Amino acid sequence: MAEKSMELTEFLSRTYGFQVQDIWAAKRGFYGETWKVRAKEADYFVKIDYWTHHMESYQASLPVIQYMTQQGISFIPQVVKTKDGELSGRFNQGVAAVFAYVQGELYENPGVEQLYGKMAQVYQLRPEGIAMDRETFGTEIADDFQRLQNAQGLPEQVAAALKEKQRVISGYMERLKFFSAQCSQDMGNFHITHGDVGGNCILNGERLSIVDWDGVKYAPVERDAWILLCEWRHLEKVNAILKENNIEYRLRQERLGYYCYSFFFHYLGEYLRSMLNAREEKQKQDLAEKCMDYLQNSWIFRQLARADLF
């Protein structure tokens, strides 16, 4: 770790011109490494993504984050440019980006009014000319899962658990296709969405910040709100907040259903892909344990049971 911090210090000096005074590992984010940096100029947060399958989306998110902060969104940490004006740099075969450091603690259960009151400011933006992944309501994510589950190199216990749940997972695929067909008939009412907004908040006193926009996408609000499926009163609160912010839209059942099944395969696919790309056996086994817990005890099954009623 000491050697890595020295390498990173040299990288930040060379690429960003920072006069680093202290640097230590942080505990934020699933992908790669995260660091807090205290420099003479300010404090910074550094996120380095080494996952080949994720680096492209990570880099693509940075111009969108820059756009949002330039539009006055103050609860998103700003991206810090390199000396050459770039939004990221290459570090040890990974992509490194630097953000203004946000003080506070991870806060995973913000109130609906607090969270969506802020997100409504993002939904009001019209990102014309900003390159961004756009929702298609496709089913490729399920096809990707099928490919991954048959790949060589998955831990035996994960392969066995997937086989045991094959019938259930096949049912989820059919439901995803059903909602995909419904949703693809209307490609309107899209906004900048986070994709995991409730689990990526930092609270400092009464100040709430929203971080980790790696999965940013131009999509309907349901992409953020589906997580509230089991609390219909919370979904109605989101509808009220949208109306208060002059966003004439109400959450739609078929889109909530689509995202519930889509994200089931998204999370599962991320576990499988990460295990296949793991550089060390310990890392692979740690991911296997998390994947097994996801397949057996995940919170998402409650949402899926609700979506099964649609």
Side-chain angles (χ1 to χ4, degrees):
M1 187 63 74
E3 182 179 350
K4 177 64 71 66
S5 64
M6 291 177 61
E7 289 180 325
L8 185 56
T9 296
E10 194 279 329
F11 165 79
L12 293 171
S13 175
R14 180 181 70 254
T15 308
Y16 287 86
F18 294 167
Q19 298 182 51
V20 177
Q21 298 174 333
D22 202 359
I23 183 170
W24 59 94
K27 295 181 179 180
R28 296 180 183 175
F30 176 79
Y31 295 96
E33 298 173 352
T34 54
W35 299 79
K36 180 179 178 181
V37 175
R38 178 166 294 155
K40 183 177 181 180
E41 301 82 2
D43 289 350
Y44 301 101
F45 178 72
V46 181
K47 183 172 181 178
I48 310 166
D49 197 329
Y50 298 105
W51 300 99
T52 304
H53 66 278
H54 193 256
M55 286 192 288
E56 184 177 350
S57 62
Y58 181 40
Q59 284 185 293
S61 73
L62 300 175
V64 185
I65 296 171
Q66 178 181 246
Y67 165 77
M68 290 189 288
T69 55
Q70 288 175 342
Q71 296 300 308
I73 303 298
S74 60
F75 51 84
I76 297 173
Q78 292 184 329
V79 186
V80 180
K81 292 183 179 181
T82 69
K83 290 191 297 184
D84 295 332
E86 302 295 331
L87 296 179
S88 63
R90 298 290 296 189
F91 176 76
N92 285 358
Q93 298 182 327
V95 173
V98 177
F99 303 87
Y101 190 78
V102 176
Q103 296 287 349
E105 300 295 329
L106 184 65
Y107 186 49
E108 294 188 342
N109 293 297
V112 173
E113 294 91 343
Q114 184 182 28
L115 181 59
Y116 285 90
K118 290 188 177 298
M119 286 302 298
Q121 298 177 45
V122 175
Y123 298 149
Q124 288 175 322
L125 299 177
R126 289 293 174 264
E128 297 179 3
I130 302 295
M132 192 182 337
D133 191 17
R134 185 184 179 95
E135 186 59 77
T136 65
F137 296 119
T139 60
E140 296 86 356
I141 197 162
D143 298 333
D144 189 44
F145 159 74
Q146 288 186 306
R147 179 184 61 80
L148 291 169
Q149 73 169 341
N150 295 320
Q152 296 293 322
L154 286 180
E156 291 182 4
Q157 67 270 39
V158 172
L162 290 172
K163 185 175 181 180
E164 182 180 342
K165 281 193 169 288
Q166 183 176 6
R167 183 175 178 180
V168 173
I169 293 174
S170 294
Y172 293 160
M173 287 184 179
E174 292 305 312
R175 293 291 283 167
L176 178 63
K177 293 175 183 177
F178 171 77
F179 285 117
S180 170
Q182 288 190 323
C183 292
S184 59
Q185 298 177 29
D186 180 1
M187 308 299 285
N189 293 294
F190 282 13
H191 306 272
I192 298 175
T193 61
H194 184 288
D196 189 18
V197 64
N200 286 287
C201 296
I202 302 294
L203 188 65
N204 182 22
E206 295 184 356
R207 179 177 174 80
L208 186 75
S209 298
I210 302 175
V211 299
D212 283 348
W213 288 79
D214 304 15
V216 66
K217 193 173 194 177
Y218 202 54
V221 176
E222 287 88 349
R223 183 169 183 260
D224 291 329
W226 73 270
I227 197 74
L228 304 173
L229 255 178
C230 293
E231 299 290 344
W232 204 258
R233 60 190 176 90
H234 289 338
L235 294 174
E236 286 300 324
K237 285 182 182 178
V238 175
N239 283 328
I241 291 168
L242 295 177
K243 185 174 182 180
E244 289 168 5
N245 285 273
N246 299 313
I247 301 171
E248 296 301 323
Y249 182 76
R250 288 183 60 82
L251 300 174
R252 289 158 49 174
Q253 182 172 283
E254 70 274 16
R255 287 180 167 183
L256 291 168
Y258 172 82
Y259 282 112
C260 187
Y261 294 104
S262 179
F263 270 97
F264 169 80
F265 288 107
H266 168 75
Y267 296 137
L268 184 53
E270 289 294 278
Y271 280 123
L272 301 184
R273 192 178 289 106
S274 298
M275 280 184 277
L276 293 169
N277 290 338
R279 299 180 178 183
E280 301 175 358
E281 186 61 29
K282 183 181 184 305
Q283 184 182 48
K284 178 181 286 190
Q285 289 304 316
D286 289 344
L287 288 164
E289 290 181 13
K290 292 178 180 178
C291 183
M292 293 291 290
D293 187 62
Y294 176 78
L295 286 168
Q296 296 168 1
N297 306 304
S298 177
W299 52 268
I300 201 170
F301 289 110
R302 186 165 174 253
Q303 275 76 11
L304 288 162
R306 182 70 179 83
D308 280 344
L309 300 177
F310 291 169

